[in-house]
């Protein structure tokens, strides 16, 4: 996550000269490497989309936000599920935003904003309450204090009855059960491996640094505009407590495989 464009500005396709073919190739590689870090990633995306559709599917033009969207892989799935929706992909990495914009085009609106930074909500350019806010493997980067703030801000952003869905690496409350869950997740991933070799995070970024179309969007450390990782070790009950404190009366886990959870919080 990082800073960049002004309030509500999308990232135009081709602004950096990234071709649609290059974008498609690197978004596919992004999808492959992300499968290493998210247990049963596609099923989790489907569950998140199911929840959003249940809450917002009957609306003529629902507003859906994807926080920490990367290139917009989840956001694009939501746009396909809800064709009339306005889906906003929010991230601070200029490379990932540009890849998504060039690949997915007008299906999504892209905004460069760092989650939790002062004034970040104003950068989204919203003119109405959101119907759904989702995030997948992004909010664990926030420190507990920042996450408390963000949950409160999102409660104010959502309409009554709107939903916040967080799919992330969230441990069970018991340390022993967490250990068991990690083993279950590892075994599950091994049984469902899609190929013998999966690209990892470091090799994806090093490969991007070697691509002349992408290199201008990378920072000196060889990655894009990622925010420093404060991180938190909140368990499921820790998240639930913060969400209730923020003003969500209905909160709980609706899906789990190993340590991977989907939490739903209804405003």
């Amino acid at each position: 996550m990082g800073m960049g464009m002004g309030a509500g500005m999308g990232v135009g396709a081709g602004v950096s000269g990234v071709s649609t073919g290059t974008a498609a190739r690197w978004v596919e590689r992004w999808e492959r490497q992300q499968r290493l870090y998210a247990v049963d990633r596609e099923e989790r995306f489907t569950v998140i989309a199911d929840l959003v559709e249940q809450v917002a599917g009957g609306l003529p033009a629902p507003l859906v936000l994807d926080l920490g969207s990367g290139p917009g892989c989840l956001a694009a799935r939501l746009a396909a599920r809800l064709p009339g929706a306005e889906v906003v992909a929010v991230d601070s990495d200029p490379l990932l935003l540009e890849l998504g914009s060039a690949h997915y085009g007008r299906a999504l609106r892209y905004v460069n904003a760092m989650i939790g930074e002062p004034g970040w909500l104003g950068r989204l350019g919203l003119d109405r309450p959101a119907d759904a806010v989702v995030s997948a493997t992004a909010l664990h980067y926030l420190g507990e204090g920042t996450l408390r703030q963000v949950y409160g801000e999102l409660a104010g952003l959502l309409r009554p009855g709107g939903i916040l869905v967080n799919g992330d690496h969230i441990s069970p409350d018991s340390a022993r059960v967490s250990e068991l869950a990690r083993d279950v997740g590892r075994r599950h991933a091994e049984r469902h491996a899609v190929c013998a070799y999966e690209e990892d995070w470091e090799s994806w970024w090093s490969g991007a640094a070697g691509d002349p179309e992408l290199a201008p969007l990378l920072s000196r450390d060889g990655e894009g505009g990622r925010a420093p990782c404060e991180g938190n070790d909140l368990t499921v009950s820790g998240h639930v407590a913060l969400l209730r404190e923020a003003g969500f009366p209905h909160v709980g886990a609706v899906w789990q495989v190993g340590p991977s959870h989907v939490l739903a919080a209804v405003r």
Side-chain angles (χ1 to χ4, degrees):
M1 295 175 279
M3 293 300 292
M5 305 181 72
M9 291 182 77
V11 178
V15 169
S16 71
V18 176
S19 67
T20 56
T22 295
R25 182 170 68 254
W26 282 98
V27 169
E28 172 57 28
R29 288 180 64 171
W30 178 265
E31 294 251 31
R32 290 203 307 269
Q33 63 95 353
Q34 285 289 290
R35 287 198 289 264
L36 281 179
Y37 305 104
V39 178
D40 219 343
R41 179 173 181 262
E42 198 61 44
E43 176 65 17
R44 179 165 58 185
F45 278 3
T46 299
V47 169
I48 292 172
D50 287 344
L51 292 167
V52 173
E53 184 177 33
Q54 184 181 49
V55 170
L59 302 175
L63 174 59
V64 181
L65 310 180
D66 179 10
L67 303 183
S69 63
C73 302
L74 172 57
R77 288 163 171 79
L78 294 170
R81 181 76 75 92
L82 302 171
E86 177 186 359
V87 182
V88 183
V90 183
D91 203 283
S92 65
D93 191 304
L95 171 59
L96 298 181
L97 291 169
E98 177 62 30
L99 287 175
S101 180
H103 181 55
Y104 295 116
R106 297 185 180 276
L108 308 174
R109 180 165 70 86
Y110 287 88
V111 174
N112 190 317
M114 185 183 296
I115 301 168
E117 184 171 86
W120 76 282
L121 287 181
R123 298 175 65 82
L124 306 185
L126 304 180
D127 59 3
R128 57 188 170 120
D131 299 291
V133 177
V134 305
S135 185
T137 57
L139 297 184
H140 68 268
Y141 285 105
L142 302 181
E144 183 174 340
T146 303
L147 185 61
R148 173 182 281 106
Q149 166 208 317
V150 168
Y151 278 161
E153 290 171 328
L154 295 177
L157 183 68
L158 283 160
R159 65 166 172 82
I163 191 169
L164 168 61
V165 187
N166 182 16
D168 212 338
H169 317 300
I170 303 173
S171 295
D173 296 323
S174 160
R176 176 57 178 148
V177 173
S178 292
E179 181 183 339
L180 294 171
R182 286 193 297 271
D183 185 66
V184 167
R186 177 185 60 79
R187 292 169 183 265
H188 182 89
E190 289 173 353
R191 287 194 299 270
H192 295 82
V194 295
C195 62
Y197 170 76
E198 291 282 7
E199 185 169 33
D200 64 15
W201 176 269
E202 289 77 14
S203 62
W204 190 94
W205 286 103
S206 63
D211 189 315
E213 289 189 63
L214 308 188
L217 290 167
L218 292 169
S219 60
R220 289 183 180 179
D221 64 4
E223 297 187 8
R226 311 305 294 177
C229 178
E230 297 177 281
N232 69 78
D233 56 2
L234 290 168
T235 64
V236 170
S237 64
H239 281 272
V240 169
L242 286 188
L243 287 162
R244 292 191 185 281
E245 176 186 317
F248 291 93
H250 310 288
V251 185
V254 296
W255 180 87
Q256 176 190 0
V257 174
S260 181
H261 284 79
V262 173
L263 301 183
V266 179
R267 181 72 173 86

